Amino acid sequence: MSETSATGKPASDMGLVVVGAAGRMGQTLVRAIHTIPGARVIGAVERADSPHLGKDAGELAGIGIINVPISDDPLPVFAKADGVLDFTTPASSVEFAGYAAQARIVHVIGTTGCSAEDNAKIAAAARHATIVKSGNMSLGVNLLAVLVEQAARALDADDFDIEILEMHHKHKVDAPSGTALLLGEAAAAGRGIALAGNDVRSRDGHTGVRKTGSIGFATLRGGSVVGDHSVILAGTGERITLSHHAEDRAIFARGAVKAALWARGKKPGLYSMRDVLGLS
């Protein structure tokens, strides 16, 4: 008879730490891990001023007691883990990437809003940690990105303009969303250009005519929208729209767990969800 953990799952399952465990996404991650074979929650971390410190992560997430208290000290938790799931803030993700590198464990980063400097630090940590980072962990969105790249490559910039429209809930703090930027990067790759310098983030006043080959972004915020994204390729007399509508943030959590399971045993490096899906 195989050994089991306090959660009832085999002890050989991938032991995962959820950082930001008391937040909406953190609780969703705990629930997702609980339902996916091959993974179990072995640690939960929150900021030092969280009112949830000491509480059981499973009980807080609504799945019952799993004997995993929420801690404010990531180091001992990372030391006993196989991987960490991280949908926190850019500064926190950079810090956690360093800890994951020290512990030589998998780090799945779904945090958005990272600066170029943040990304450089995360890439440096990936020399020692196996990091999967994506602006969106949804399997569907990453397939959409591949389709956007193919469409942008097939439809010439002289004939088709590209606009990216996204809407999220009123509590989201970064814009454009990480997913919109991921789709913009895919469109730019299809066109063989860099997104930086060819992106248009806002239009106001007398803007002049649209620059050929530019990639536009429009951002909407309101209500409880989990995430809507559309990439519009507008030509003369015709328009193509490629869309994804997220109805439940659990899709991001399930994608993150799948990414962690995929990354287990992989060499240190910086990977994307395209690697996870075999679409690179």
Side-chain angles (χ1 to χ4, degrees):
M1 187 173 180
S2 62
E3 183 184 354
T4 60
S5 69
T7 64
K9 290 192 173 188
S12 60
D13 285 345
M14 187 176 188
L16 295 174
V17 176
V18 176
V19 292
R24 287 183 303 171
M25 194 62 208
Q27 292 182 44
T28 304
L29 288 165
V30 171
R31 290 192 291 270
I33 295 168
H34 191 67
T35 62
I36 295 177
R40 62 189 174 102
V41 181
I42 59 94
V45 175
E46 260 296 344
R47 64 185 188 277
D49 63 347
S50 171
H52 301 288
L53 294 179
K55 293 181 180 178
D56 186 90
E59 189 171 30
L60 185 63
I63 59 174
I65 295 174
I66 59 174
N67 296 315
V68 176
I70 298 175
S71 168
D72 64 351
D73 187 358
L75 291 177
V77 181
F78 281 34
K80 64 180 182 180
D82 298 308
V84 55
L85 304 184
D86 175 6
F87 287 71
T88 56
T89 65
S92 295
S93 291
V94 168
E95 183 179 359
F96 292 138
Y99 296 152
Q102 290 177 39
R104 300 292 200 272
I105 60 175
V106 171
H107 187 189
V108 176
I109 304 175
T111 303
T112 60
C114 292
S115 67
E117 183 181 359
D118 295 330
N119 286 329
K121 291 177 180 177
I122 290 169
R127 291 198 291 265
H128 303 289
T130 304
I131 297 178
V132 180
K133 185 177 185 297
S134 178
N136 192 303
M137 291 288 168
S138 155
L139 306 182
V141 159
N142 284 280
L143 176 59
L144 174 62
V146 173
L147 299 177
V148 167
E149 183 174 338
Q150 292 176 341
R153 183 177 297 116
L155 302 174
D156 190 84
D158 291 330
D159 297 321
F160 283 85
D161 301 315
I162 298 177
E163 293 286 316
I164 299 171
L165 173 66
E166 59 103 341
M167 182 170 186
H168 282 84
H169 53 86
K170 61 186 178 183
H171 300 292
K172 187 166 179 61
V173 298
D174 57 310
S177 70
T179 303
L181 294 173
L182 178 129
L183 295 172
E185 291 285 1
R191 289 276 164 90
I193 60 175
L195 180 61
N198 291 296
D199 55 330
V200 177
R201 303 291 184 92
S202 63
R203 296 185 177 99
D204 186 27
H206 187 75
T207 61
V209 298
R210 191 185 197 282
K211 180 183 175 183
T212 299
S214 62
I215 297 173
F217 290 84
T219 298
L220 307 178
R221 292 287 178 267
S224 59
V225 178
V226 174
D228 288 348
H229 295 85
S230 295
V231 179
I232 303 163
L233 296 103
T236 302
E238 60 182 330
R239 187 168 66 249
I240 300 162
T241 302
L242 301 171
S243 299
H244 180 273
H245 303 284
E247 300 173 354
D248 186 342
R249 60 176 41 85
I251 64 173
F252 312 128
R254 289 194 295 270
V257 178
K258 290 181 181 294
L261 291 170
W262 173 87
R264 189 180 195 182
K266 295 286 190 302
K267 293 180 179 179
L270 185 59
Y271 301 91
S272 71
M273 283 300 287
R274 286 202 190 189
D275 296 310
V276 176
L277 295 173
L279 297 172
S280 296

